[in-house]
Amino acid sequence: MSERNGFLFCADPLRASRPDPQFAEDIAAARAAGGRIALLDHDALLAGDAAGAVARVARDSGPYWYRGWMIPSARYAQLETALGARGCTLLTDAVGYRRAHELPCWYEEFDGLTPRSVWCAVAPGGPPPAADELAGLVAPLGTGPGIVKDFVKSRKHEWDEACYVPALADRHQLASVVDRFVDLQGDFLAGGLVLRAFEPFAAGGEARVWWVDGEAVLVTAHPDTPGLRPAPELSSVREAVGRLGLRWVTTDLALREDGVWRVVEVGDGQVSGCPAGAGTADLFAALAAAGAR
């Protein structure tokens, strides 16, 4: 068997010498594929101690895919540097991670396949844009309903309070939802503010498609609706993923009420959630065997 890629998993926060049990299925699949396993102290990384976070990674132990909890883009860059100091590399570099992880970085490649979106920078913990500024920002989206999120995540579980705007033309309501979203995100606000045109989707849930080097190697349910797994049409999405040019990404797809498949979200595969029991053997086999680029 040729040399396999390694996998850098999050360590159990209660026992740093073992993997986080939340990723037990993925670890089993990675081991079955012949991948090397190393552990990352995720808490130390988020606290700014990147060198300490990778202290358990053997020096000169080769390239790694990260697989674990989300990492802010700036911290991921620190992780890349810290691994480099130990003679190791990440198969998704910091530039590639941000490109898949943050909507403004992937949006152009998926324009026409995903809801229209606009965005602006907002500092974590900082004030939201004023009502007049918001009105100017959303003008290209029209006057209909919209969605508020940051560069990475929404607060869809606070739908009416901090996510959905029934009419973007209603300046007061738009500002109210944006203010609440920014307040709830606080210091965890990622990158800035994104506003998207709302599109009504048919019942049936979202499909999460896992791509490795431009090929769809696994289709699962979305973790929020694990019992629903639609079968999307992928030809146009495959072309967009190819244009994006990244190694391991996910796309979430939903069927719009008019019968058109739409890309709801793009993500870095390393930090995308997978429903329990989805069966990731083929995915990790492809990742373990992926050649250098």
Side-chain angles (χ1 to χ4, degrees):
M1 179 183 290
S2 60
E3 182 69 16
R4 299 300 200 187
N5 296 318
F7 294 90
L8 182 59
F9 282 95
C10 288
D12 187 335
L14 300 179
R15 189 183 300 178
S17 62
R18 68 182 184 186
D20 190 322
Q22 290 289 332
F23 298 95
E25 291 183 31
D26 288 349
I27 292 166
R31 284 178 170 151
R36 303 179 315 281
I37 305 297
L39 298 181
L40 168 76
D41 186 332
H42 187 261
D43 290 342
L45 179 63
L46 296 192
D49 182 12
V54 299
R56 290 180 174 271
V57 180
R59 293 185 180 276
D60 303 313
S61 54
Y64 286 94
W65 299 107
Y66 169 67
R67 180 62 179 152
W69 304 113
M70 281 191 180
I71 301 173
S73 296
R75 295 297 190 202
Y76 190 93
Q78 294 169 358
L79 170 62
E80 182 180 35
T81 299
L83 283 172
R86 298 185 71 82
C88 303
T89 58
L90 284 165
L91 287 157
T92 295
D93 64 16
V95 173
Y97 178 78
R98 183 186 290 270
R99 185 156 160 73
H101 191 53
E102 299 185 2
L103 181 145
C105 299
W106 58 257
Y107 179 80
E108 181 178 359
E109 309 302 340
F110 291 82
D111 191 15
L113 301 174
T114 193
R116 289 176 299 147
S117 304
V118 294
W119 54 84
C120 65
V122 176
D132 288 346
E133 185 180 351
L134 285 172
L137 179 66
V138 302
L141 304 183
T143 60
I147 297 293
V148 175
K149 65 189 296 292
D150 65 18
F151 285 10
V152 177
K153 294 184 72 67
S154 70
R155 299 194 68 95
K156 59 186 177 183
H157 299 297
E158 292 102 355
W159 181 256
D160 294 319
E161 179 184 4
C163 184
Y164 178 68
V165 182
L168 293 172
D170 186 333
R171 292 190 177 198
H172 175 76
Q173 192 165 46
L174 172 62
S176 176
V177 174
V178 168
D179 288 359
R180 185 58 175 152
F181 172 80
V182 171
D183 178 58
L184 289 172
Q185 288 295 88
D187 291 339
F188 295 100
L189 188 139
L193 182 68
V194 173
L195 293 113
R196 314 197 76 190
F198 173 78
E199 296 186 0
F201 296 119
E206 297 177 19
R208 176 157 287 178
V209 185
W210 302 75
W211 305 83
V212 178
D213 288 336
E215 293 299 322
V217 297
L218 179 67
V219 180
T220 70
H222 190 282
D224 289 347
T225 53
L228 302 172
R229 195 185 77 180
E233 196 284 321
L234 297 178
S235 59
S236 59
V237 181
R238 179 177 287 105
E239 293 177 5
V241 170
R243 292 192 297 268
L244 194 64
L246 300 178
R247 305 209 62 186
W248 182 14
V249 299
T250 56
T251 54
D252 295 342
L253 285 89
L255 188 65
R256 201 166 58 190
E257 286 184 349
D258 62 0
V260 176
W261 285 101
R262 302 289 281 166
V263 175
V264 180
E265 197 68 73
V266 175
D268 183 279
Q270 301 176 115
V271 297
S272 296
C274 190
T280 56
D282 289 346
L283 172 63
F284 279 89
L287 292 166
R293 287 174 98 186

